[in-house]
Amino acid sequence: MNYRHIYHAGNFADVLKHAVLARLVRYMQNKDKAFRVLDTHAGIGLYDLSSEEAQKTGEWRDGIGRLLEAELVPQVAGLLEPFLTAVRELNPEGGLRFYPGSPKLARMLFRPQDRLSAMELHAEDFQRLHRLFEGDHHARITELDGWLALGAHLPPKEKRGIVLVDPPFEEDGEYERLVDGLAKAWRRFPGGTYCLWYPLKKEAPIKAFHEALQALEIPKMLCAELAVKSDRGFTGLTGSGLIIVNPPFTLKDELHALLPALKEMLAQDRFASQRAFWLRGEH
């Protein structure tokens, strides 16, 4: 319960996660029919980067801060447009003070028919999230362990949805919990699009994690990873990955354009790397 995302809001890992989440939302909107975003570990929803906590680490400066100042080629600018437009809308006077968490970002991109279910277990963070969406009939905010939501809240009544699972990775066994959580959720809602976030750091069990996911035999799983520096001599976060289940058919090509550009903009040393590949399915 010590994890607070305010220390990390807007960092390089958020940039990857939110850029892809925005692409998924836009793709779902190619059809008129409503869909729901289920955010299992939602946080407080909106982050003040001028706060003492955010200033203490300053991680956003090497994430969203770099992105907003970069010159983007047209293709990359188009792919990042929904995400960056939302960030700029939160900062109408220019600069960068406010940054959207996943539930706020999704909500900003919604059409009238789209809906949000956001879960947060931390009592204080839940209260802040609840206040942020108070009176918003498009959003349902629940004080709940997000892992439980993968059973109790699926399938959504809309029968279309994006399920974002972004645990804090404070405890041992979180990679295994992600695999088990996906297995449970997919049995209930096999048609959903899932986006699972995980950290890259020294000695993280990534190979075993990927093999466990492959063993689930879910037909289509796409992986995207971005590392901004070497993990040699460094034990903290060096990168992050996303597993996208039932991805849009356009997403792999989009990632092949987006990831090299993000690596170029966000690299912290010459060992930065990126990759996008099928864990299962199309190759």
Side-chain angles (χ1 to χ4, degrees), residues 27 75 141 147 209 211 255 265:
Y27 184 81
Q75 183 185 16
I141 313 302
W147 296 111
F209 173 57
E211 288 173 351
L255 289 170
M265 289 182 277

Side-chain angles (χ1 to χ4, degrees), residues 169-183:
F169 278 83
E170 287 181 289
E171 303 170 12
D172 291 338
E174 293 282 62
Y175 291 95
E176 292 82 359
R177 287 184 85 182
L178 259 186
V179 175
D180 293 343
L182 175 61

